[in-house]
DNA sequence: CCGACCGGTCG
DNA sequence: GCGACCGGTCG
C-alpha cells in the first residue's frame, strides 16, 4: 500500500539517515544541533514524523550537507552536467546581417552565433514563435497532438515561411533546437530521435502528395510495422530483408488499380546508419523497383570544439565519405536527394551512374521529377 | 576583443532588455520600481554598468520575471525536464533479499527497485565505490585516463567481483547507470554511447586474450579506422564493405606467422543496429572467415511505463525478433554469444545451423571454445 | 507490446 | 579531422 508520496518520502528518510551515518553524527548529536530531543531524530528516521521543507533544510544544514547535492542524490534535481546543455536559440534573439541573419544561441552561458543565409528576422521570429507554441502545447498533459504530428507541422511552417534558407539548417538549427528548448515532458533528445525521425517521413509524404497525385502517383508514409511489412510484401520482398526497412512507398494509379513501383528511405542524418537501409534498397533495385534516399544530411559539430556549421557528412569528390560511395560507387540507391545546400552534389557521371542531387523545396526540386520519371519507365517496362 | 565573461554578460543584458520589452515595462517605470533614475536602467541595458547578482535578482523581481526561468533562458541552468533524469542507483543503497539483492534507484523522486540475482551487498558496495571513484576521476580536468579505458576497467572490476550476476545486468544497471550518475564533463548519455561502445570491444579483447594466447590465437580490438581498414584488407574485403565494420580481429599464429581467420562484431544492445554489421559479416563468411557476434543484448524499458527488467531483444523461439532471425534463419553470423542470462538461447538445431549461445564469463563460456575450434578448422582447411 | 528513430562524443 | 558508438521514446 505504498503511495507515490510515501515512496518519495521513504527515499528522503533513508538518504537522510545515510548522510548522518556517513558523517558519523549520532542521533543525539544531531538532535542537539537541531535543538530537539533524540526522539525527534528517531521518529523522523523511523518515518513516524514527516519533515516539512524548512525542517528538511535545517536538518541538512545541521549535518553540513549541501541541499542541492542531497536533492540530486534523491533524484529530484538532475546531476549538474556542465556540458549537457546543448546550444539553444535564445528566445526571440536574432540579428540582421548582410545576406541573412545571425541566430544567437546560448551554450554554457556563452554566446554562439549561427549564420542563416537568406533568412529575414521578421520571418524567423514568426517561425520561432509559432513553433515554440506548437512544442509547448505538447507539454500540456491534455494535449492530444502526437509528437510526430507537431514536428511535421513545424517543418511545414518553417519551410513555407523560410523558403530560401538551407532546409537542413531549418531542420537542424531551428526545428531540432526549438524542440530541445521547449519539449520537457520526457527526455527531449531521445524523444527527438523517435518523433523527429518519423516527422521527416510524414513531412516528405505530405509535402509531395499533391504534386505527385497530379501525375497519378500516390505517396504513402509507412508509419506502422504492419504497413512497412505489407509494402515489402507487395514488392515481393517479404522475409528477404528485415520487415521494417522502408519508410515511404510509391504507387502508380491506373484506373483505380495501384501498382507499387518504388519507395523512399528517409534519413535526417547519416552517421553509420545508412548501411541499415542498403540491403533493403539493393533488394528493391534487384526486383526492378525504384529505391530513393531522402536526407537532410544534417551534421554540425557542437562547441567547444566545433563551430556549429551544418556541413553534413557526404564529403567532397576528392575526399568522399563512405556515404557518398554508397551512392556514387556502389549505386546502392537509385538516387539520393539531399536538402543540405552545403553538401556537394554528384557530377553528371559517376561510377555507378547513380547520383546525389542537392535541392531546396522549390520548383527546381528534382525529387518529384525523378519519381514521375520512375513511374513512366515502370509503365513502359510493364506495358501498362 | 570579447572575453568569455563579456559574452556571457552581453547575453544577460540582452535578455533582460527583451524581458522588459515583452512585459511592456518602460525604462522609466522599471527605474521607479527599483528606486533608481531612468539613467540607471539605460546604463545597465547599454552595458555600461554591470549588475551584481543581487541587483540582477532585484531587477527580475521588479519585472515579475522568474529567476530560474531567466537562468534557463540564458543557458546557465538546464531546462527543467521532469522526465530527463534517468533511473540512477542511490549511492550505497541496496537491500539484501532472498537469492540476491535489490538495487534501489531513484527516478523522478520515486523509488524503483531492480533485483540483481546472486549478488551480495558487500561485493556490490565495493564495486559501486570503486567504479564511482573511477568515473569521478574522469571529471577531473587533469585526468589523463581515456573514457573507454575507465569504462573497460569498470567492466573488469565488476565482472570479477560479481561473477555470478547476469553480465548484462552488470553492464546495464551497474556500469551504465553509475556512468550516468557520475560522469559530468560532457553529455553523459552521448558520452556513454561513444566510450561505452568502445569499452565493450576493449573488454572483450582483453578478457579473452590469455585464454586464446594459450591456444596460439591473438585477439585484437580494432580501435582506429586505420586498424579496421587494415584488418578488412588482410581479409581481402577492402572496399567491398564499408571500411569501418569490424570491431575485433582474430589471428592464428604459427611460427611467428599470423593468419587472420575471423573477427568478432560487438554490440552492447541490438535495436535495429545489428543490420549494420550483417553485410560485413556475410562477406567475411563468404570468404571462408569466421564471423562472430558478441552482445550483452541489454534492453530494459524505463519508468513510467517499463519495469526496468533487462529482458533483451532476442525474443523467444515461438515469437522470434528480427535479430533472432538474423542468426537462426538467415545465418548472418557464425554464432552469437549473448551475455544476458534472460535471453533465450537457440535450440541445437536451427534453420541456418547457426546458434545463439547464452553465457556468463566463467569456465563454461563458449566463446573461447568456438574461437579455438574455428582456428583448428581453418588450419585443417588451409593445411597449416 | 516492441520496433526503428538519430546526434553528441572523443579518439 | 571525421568516423561509429548506443538507448529513451512513443506509436
Amino acid at each position: 500500500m505504498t503511495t507515490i508520496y510515501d515512496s518519495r518520502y521513504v527515499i528522503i528518510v533513508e538518504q537522510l539517515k545515510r548522510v548522518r551515518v556517513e558523517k558519523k553524527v549520532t542521533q543525539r548529536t544531531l538532535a542537539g544541533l537541531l535543538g530537539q530531543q533524540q526522539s525527534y531524530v528517531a521518529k523522523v528516521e523511523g518515518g513516524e514524523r514527516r519533515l516539512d521543507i524548512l525542517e528538511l533544510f535545517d536538518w541538512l544544514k545541521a549535518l553540513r550537507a549541501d541541499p542541492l547535492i542531497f536533492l540530486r542524490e534523491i533524484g529530484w534535481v538532475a546531476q549538474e552536467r556542465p556540458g549537457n546543455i546543448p546550444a539553444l536559440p535564445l528566445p526571440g534573439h536574432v540579428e540582421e546581417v548582410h545576406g541573412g541573419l545571425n541566430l544567437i544561441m546560448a551554450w554554457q552561458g556563452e554566446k554562439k552565433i549561427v549564420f542563416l543565409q537568406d533568412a529575414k528576422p521578421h520571418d524567423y521570429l514568426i517561425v520561432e514563435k509559432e513553433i515554440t507554441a506548437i512544442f509547448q502545447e505538447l507539454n500540456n498533459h491534455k494535449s492530444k497532438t502526437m509528437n510526430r504530428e507537431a514536428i511535421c507541422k513545424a517543418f511545414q511552417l518553417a519551410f513555407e515561411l523560410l523558403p530560401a534558407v538551407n532546409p537542413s539548417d531549418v531542420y537542424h538549427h531551428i526545428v531540432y533546437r526549438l524542440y530541445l528548448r521547449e519539449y520537457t515532458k520526457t527526455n527531449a533528445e531521445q524523444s527527438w530521435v523517435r518523433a523527429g525521425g518519423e516527422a521527416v517521413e510524414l513531412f516528405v509524404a505530405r509535402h509531395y502528395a499533391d504534386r505527385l497525385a497530379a501525375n497519378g502517383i500516390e505517396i504513402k508514409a509507412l508509419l506502422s510495422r504492419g504497413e512497412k511489412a505489407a509494402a515489402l510484401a507487395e514488392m515481393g520482398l517479404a522475409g528477404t530483408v528485415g520487415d521494417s526497412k522502408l519508410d515511404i512507398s510509391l504507387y502508380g494509379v491506373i484506373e483505380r488499380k495501384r501498382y507499387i513501383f518504388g519507395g523512399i528511405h528517409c534519413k535526417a542524418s547519416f552517421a553509420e546508419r545508412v548501411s541499415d537501409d542498403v540491403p533493403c534498397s539493393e533488394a528493391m533495385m534487384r526486383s526492378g523497383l525504384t529505391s530513393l534516399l531522402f536526407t537532410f544530411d544534417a551534421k554540425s559539430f557542437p562547441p567547444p570544439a566545433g563551430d556549429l556549421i551544418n556541413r553534413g557528412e557526404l564529403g567532397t569528390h576528392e575526399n568522399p565519405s563512405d556515404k557518398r560511395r554508397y551512392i556514387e560507387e556502389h549505386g546502392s540507391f537509385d538516387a539520393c536527394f539531399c536538402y543540405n545546400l552545403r553538401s556537394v552534389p554528384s557530377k553528371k557521371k559517376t561510377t555507378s551512374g547513380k547520383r546525389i542531387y542537392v535541392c531546396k523545396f522549390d520548383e527546381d526540386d528534382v525529387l518529384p521529377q525523378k519519381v514521375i520519371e520512375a513511374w513512366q519507365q515502370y509503365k513502359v517496362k510493364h506495358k501498362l
Side-chain angles (χ1 to χ4, degrees), chain A:
Chain A
M1 293 297 281
T2 311
T3 66
I4 286 172
Y5 183 83
D6 286 342
S7 155
R8 294 159 68 120
Y9 191 71
V10 165
I11 289 181
I12 292 177
V13 166
E14 287 172 343
Q15 291 298 308
L16 279 178
K17 192 171 169 187
R18 180 188 60 82
V19 170
R20 179 180 63 75
V21 171
E22 274 184 7
K23 296 199 177 248
K24 301 192 203 314
V25 175
T26 61
Q27 286 196 344
R28 187 177 304 275
T29 310
L30 177 58
L33 289 165
L34 291 166
Q36 296 275 2
Q37 301 292 325
Q38 189 198 328
S39 64
Y40 170 78
V41 174
K43 276 185 184 162
V44 169
E45 290 190 354
E48 287 175 60
R49 191 187 185 292
R50 281 188 182 159
L51 293 176
D52 72 25
I53 186 70
L54 284 178
E55 288 171 327
L56 171 64
F57 275 76
D58 288 342
W59 188 290
L60 291 169
K61 204 171 163 187
L63 286 171
R64 297 177 178 273
D66 181 335
L68 190 56
I69 290 177
F70 183 80
L71 291 176
R72 277 183 205 130
E73 284 174 349
I74 63 172
W76 283 28
V77 172
Q79 291 286 326
E80 192 181 6
R81 296 183 188 159
N84 84 338
I85 312 172
L88 298 177
L90 289 165
H93 211 68
V94 288
E95 53 187 32
E96 187 157 19
V97 291
H98 178 73
L101 62 78
N102 280 336
L103 196 51
I104 317 293
M105 311 234 188
W107 178 82
Q108 312 258 51
E110 289 176 42
K111 197 168 162 176
K112 298 287 166 188
I113 290 178
V114 170
F115 176 61
L116 282 186
Q117 200 174 329
D118 297 322
K120 289 196 183 69
H122 173 259
D123 300 320
Y124 170 79
L125 290 171
I126 296 172
V127 167
E128 181 187 330
K129 207 176 148 199
E130 300 245 353
I131 292 182
T132 299
I134 292 170
F135 291 163
Q136 282 179 352
E137 166 65 16
L138 287 176
N139 296 325
N140 177 345
H141 273 278
K142 276 167 277 178
S143 166
K144 289 278 174 199
T145 319
M146 287 185 293
N147 297 29
R148 67 182 180 204
E149 289 289 343
I151 298 173
C152 179
K153 222 160 92 185
F155 286 147
Q156 291 174 318
L157 191 93
F159 293 131
E160 187 172 344
L161 280 170
L162 300 166
V165 182
N166 184 347
S168 187
D169 283 2
V170 171
Y171 167 88
H172 185 66
H173 289 307
I174 303 180
V175 184
Y176 166 57
R177 290 185 197 285
L178 289 178
Y179 194 79
L180 292 190
R181 195 179 79 188
E182 303 300 338
Y183 185 70
T184 60
K185 210 162 64 182
T186 57
N187 178 323
E189 286 85 351
Q190 292 287 50
S191 173
W192 174 258
V193 169
R194 174 67 165 79
E198 281 194 347
V200 171
E201 302 166 23
L202 265 183
F203 168 77
V204 170
R206 288 184 188 162
H207 180 73
Y208 295 109
D210 288 348
R211 172 84 197 274
L212 294 177
N215 289 270
I217 295 167
E218 196 184 310
I219 181 169
K220 188 180 174 200
L222 305 169
L223 292 171
S224 75
R225 192 169 162 72
E227 285 176 314
K228 284 170 199 262
L232 287 167
E234 287 182 277
M235 293 177 176
L237 298 176
T240 59
V241 291
D243 273 351
S244 307
K245 296 287 172 199
L246 182 61
D247 299 315
I248 286 174
S249 56
L250 295 166
Y251 299 89
V253 185
I254 298 174
E255 289 162 10
R256 293 201 188 155
K257 199 160 156 32
R258 294 156 82 244
Y259 302 85
I260 194 161
F261 68 94
I264 307 178
H265 303 264
C266 294
K267 283 229 146 346
S269 60
F270 281 107
E272 87 290 7
R273 293 170 280 100
V274 70
S275 55
D276 279 2
D277 294 327
V278 166
C280 176
S281 176
E282 290 181 348
M284 285 169 66
M285 291 165 72
R286 277 195 300 272
S287 296
L289 297 157
T290 296
S291 176
L292 304 172
L293 178 62
F294 175 99
T295 183
F296 282 118
D297 188 23
K299 178 66 178 178
S300 74
F301 289 93
D307 59 10
L308 281 171
I309 297 174
N310 172 27
R311 294 189 178 81
E313 302 184 67
L314 283 167
T316 57
H317 300 134
E318 295 71 35
N319 197 11
S321 68
D322 270 0
K323 298 109 201 184
R324 179 175 293 277
R325 277 195 279 257
Y326 274 118
I327 322 291
E328 297 185 352
E329 270 182 48
H330 306 160
S332 302
F333 297 88
D334 281 306
C336 169
F337 304 100
C338 171
Y339 293 79
N340 185 342
L341 303 186
R342 284 186 204 83
S343 302
V344 180
S346 298
K347 292 177 184 169
K348 284 202 175 170
K349 279 236 167 198
T350 64
T351 313
S352 70
K354 310 299 186 188
R355 282 168 67 184
I356 297 164
Y357 301 89
V358 173
C359 329
K360 282 190 283 191
F361 299 115
D362 58 14
E363 62 280 6
D364 297 325
D365 188 348
V366 285
L367 187 149
Q369 300 170 28
K370 294 287 169 187
V371 170
I372 292 162
E373 269 177 40
W375 172 228
Q376 302 298 352
Q377 284 163 12
Y378 188 93
K379 280 194 287 190
V380 170
K381 194 170 150 196
H382 294 80
K383 296 179 179 127
L384 296 172

